[in-house]
Amino acid sequence: MPTIKDVAKASGVSVATVSNYINGKSVRKNNEAAIEYAINSLNYKVDMLARSFRTKQTFTIGVVVNTFYSLFYMEVLHEMEKHLRKNGYCMIVFSSDNDCENEKQILDIMLNKYVDAIIVFPVSYEKSQIESIVHDEVPVVLVDHIIKNSNYPCVVADNINASYSVVEYMIKNGHKNIAVVSGHRDASTTNERILGYLRAFEDYHLPVDDSDIFIGDYTSESGYDLTQRVLASPKKYTALFVLSFDLFLGVAMALKEKNIKIPDDLSLVSFDYSEYIDLSEKMVTVVKQPNKLLGVEAAKKAIELIMNRHESSSNIVRCKCEVMIRDSVKNIL
Amino acid sequence: MPTIKDVAKASGVSVATVSNYINGKSVRKNNEAAIEYAINSLNYKVDMLARSFRTKQTFTIGVVVNTFYSLFYMEVLHEMEKHLRKNGYCMIVFSSDNDCENEKQILDIMLNKYVDAIIVFPVSYEKSQIESIVHDEVPVVLVDHIIKNSNYPCVVADNINASYSVVEYMIKNGHKNIAVVSGHRDASTTNERILGYLRAFEDYHLPVDDSDIFIGDYTSESGYDLTQRVLASPKKYTALFVLSFDLFLGVAMALKEKNIKIPDDLSLVSFDYSEYIDLSEKMVTVVKQPNKLLGVEAAKKAIELIMNRHESSSNIVRCKCEVMIRDSVKNIL
DNA sequence: TTGTACGCGTTATCAT
DNA sequence: ATGATAACGCGTACAA
């Protein structure tokens, strides 16, 4: 592999000049041509490792997801990678498996690898362990979850409004007893979705009860179990509001087992549209998260922070969800 | 950040000794203790960038998938990442978006980044562009598709046998007219699945017709279109053999639209089990690919090649599929 | 525009 | 056998 020295020798200038040329600084016209020629004929390429060693810039962005095993990350990562590569960055990806210890370890690895920025789908919702590890060595962008008291910029879906409007839609169709099938509430995303639900009830002067919110975790097993509990409840619910697609899977299984028909026996609304949900017998009314946008915006934010370190404005980018009204809510007025 | 020099100074030995200690070479006992102490009290960490610069080893493995937007890669990547990290490697991931030009560009980037190995889900099936770019600079592992005349080791599902046995199952249930809903045939995976189908028909002395194989691409739209064509065909098929989950999605839509009941009106078997397929009304008989195993085996192979460069045995690892017999094939005997 | 110190861990060479 | 010293890798940045 030819080095910058070879290029300098071949083109009769110093390495500094070649370096300047490569990095877009002004160089004497005839030198420019000579260097260009030398680079081409030697087929010289900048050794990224050497450059990184010197500059501590790797053009690599570290990403921590909670799991790969989810449609959500699939879409987000797809767009993120595309956007990053278009801008000359690579993506180095880890899965925390929803484990704080893993997250910690991964952050350490990434710092040690000198990633230029870190994009995290945080596991740790409450007090951020992220800050205590990363300090200010590297810009951090949070995605999907907001961490309390954190100063990092954050890209999230507009959960409150989406939740509000889809619940409002149910209310307008006469539903007053809506059970929420939810994951753990300490996640900001969950909380916001529940908040939207509560606000809609408030605004329509309907009573809400904490026991209407069935809390599990974001797995299909949990969705299955919670549905059993909803159905066994003394209160008769006319509708279910499911807060994620994984939960929905379990809900669908449970309903199928009990031969409960949507929307005749029970109305149903879920979060997380994907093509897969259309396998259900009825087209389910569903909130489509802006997954692709989340990916792109997080990537943009990361690059922006790399370019412009001082602008550490802890701003929140909210991406709008789309409510897809379909056939799973019965008008019971 | 403390450097190896600081550690050497603090422990009263030379940098070479510290380096030896770090890299597991034998060091005098008392020096060992002193170095260990210095490392801990200074909180010294090896600068990976400096080490990589010198050794050209990055402990990073480059992965090229065709897309993130698929359940298949989701599972594969999940396991791959876990296994790699457990072994001290990072995963840098790109999506070729099924585009040869992208693949080429990505390979270039990875070489330039000095990845220690490359794991590719190849786009280019026929003549490999991979060899002409990578040469022998870095070990390469192919996953999911075999490239003709390629010397790279390869990790694939045992498509032929899986296909054979599930088709055999259909035949034993009396089906002689089975339409195949397939993606592009130039992919080795597709070809093998079709081969299994053909062999089963041969072994049972049943006639096969090329026109029974409906070729599209691996998208739900294609599945939808192909199903229309199958149904419009003059030949009356009693069963459908769908070669991927994405195709299946489209197939399911088309059948739902036409109100065709599984398995009473038509029997159905698909490739690619995932929990999501259970949203279908009937439990579909399906081939479960060993996705997780593919991920792990590819990771293992890559690490093995890194450790042991000369062993360039172009071997093929075949991972067994599981046939999940469920309720979507009617016995018509 | 250029000479050169620099970053930092590794390794070859030489010394003990 | 261990350890010390210095060269090395390669692009960058600063002073000249």
Side-chain angles (χ1 to χ4, degrees), chain B residues 261-281:
Chain B
K261 290 295 172 200
I262 304 295
D264 292 330
D265 303 336
L266 189 66
S267 289
L268 181 64
V269 164
S270 179
F271 249 86
D272 295 347
Y273 171 76
S274 74
E275 220 182 353
Y276 306 116
I277 206 171
D278 295 342
L279 280 177
S280 311
E281 210 179 332

Side-chain angles (χ1 to χ4, degrees), chain A residues 117-135:
Chain A
I118 295 176
I119 296 175
V120 193
F121 297 74
V123 191
S124 45
Y125 307 118
E126 271 300 325
K127 206 170 87 355
S128 169
Q129 63 177 337
I130 300 176
E131 274 172 271
S132 70
I133 296 175
V134 180
H135 301 107

Side-chain angles (χ1 to χ4, degrees), chain A residues 16-17 20 27-28 31 53-54:
Chain A
T17 307
N20 284 336
V27 166
R28 229 200 309 265
N31 282 343
F53 174 51
R54 179 65 219 208

Side-chain angles (χ1 to χ4, degrees), chain A residues 202-234:
Chain A
E202 260 179 48
D203 287 1
Y204 284 82
H205 308 293
L206 294 172
V208 269
D209 196 315
D210 244 21
S211 66
D212 296 338
I213 298 167
F214 293 77
I215 304 278
D217 54 44
Y218 284 112
T219 62
S220 59
E221 292 77 30
S222 193
Y224 183 88
D225 294 341
L226 293 174
T227 306
Q228 310 281 15
R229 281 178 42 205
V230 171
L231 296 175
S233 150

Side-chain angles (χ1 to χ4, degrees), chain A residues 89-142:
Chain A
Y89 286 89
C90 291
M91 188 172 91
I92 175 169
V93 199
F94 299 87
S95 161
S96 67
D97 268 319
N98 281 304
D99 179 313
C100 280
E101 278 313 305
N102 279 336
E103 186 179 272
K104 210 181 280 187
Q105 190 192 326
I106 289 166
L107 291 171
D108 266 329
I109 295 175
M110 294 201 293
L111 289 180
N112 202 234
K113 289 248 177 186
Y114 290 95
V115 295
D116 293 342
I118 295 176
I119 296 175
V120 193
F121 297 74
V123 191
S124 45
Y125 307 118
E126 271 300 325
K127 206 170 87 355
S128 169
Q129 63 177 337
I130 300 176
E131 274 172 271
S132 70
I133 296 175
V134 180
H135 301 107
D136 279 322
E137 291 187 49
V138 164
V140 172
V141 178
L142 304 177

Side-chain angles (χ1 to χ4, degrees), chain B residues 13-14 16-17 26-28 31 53-54:
Chain B
V13 298
S14 74
T17 307
S26 63
V27 166
R28 234 201 302 269
N31 282 342
F53 174 53
R54 179 65 219 208

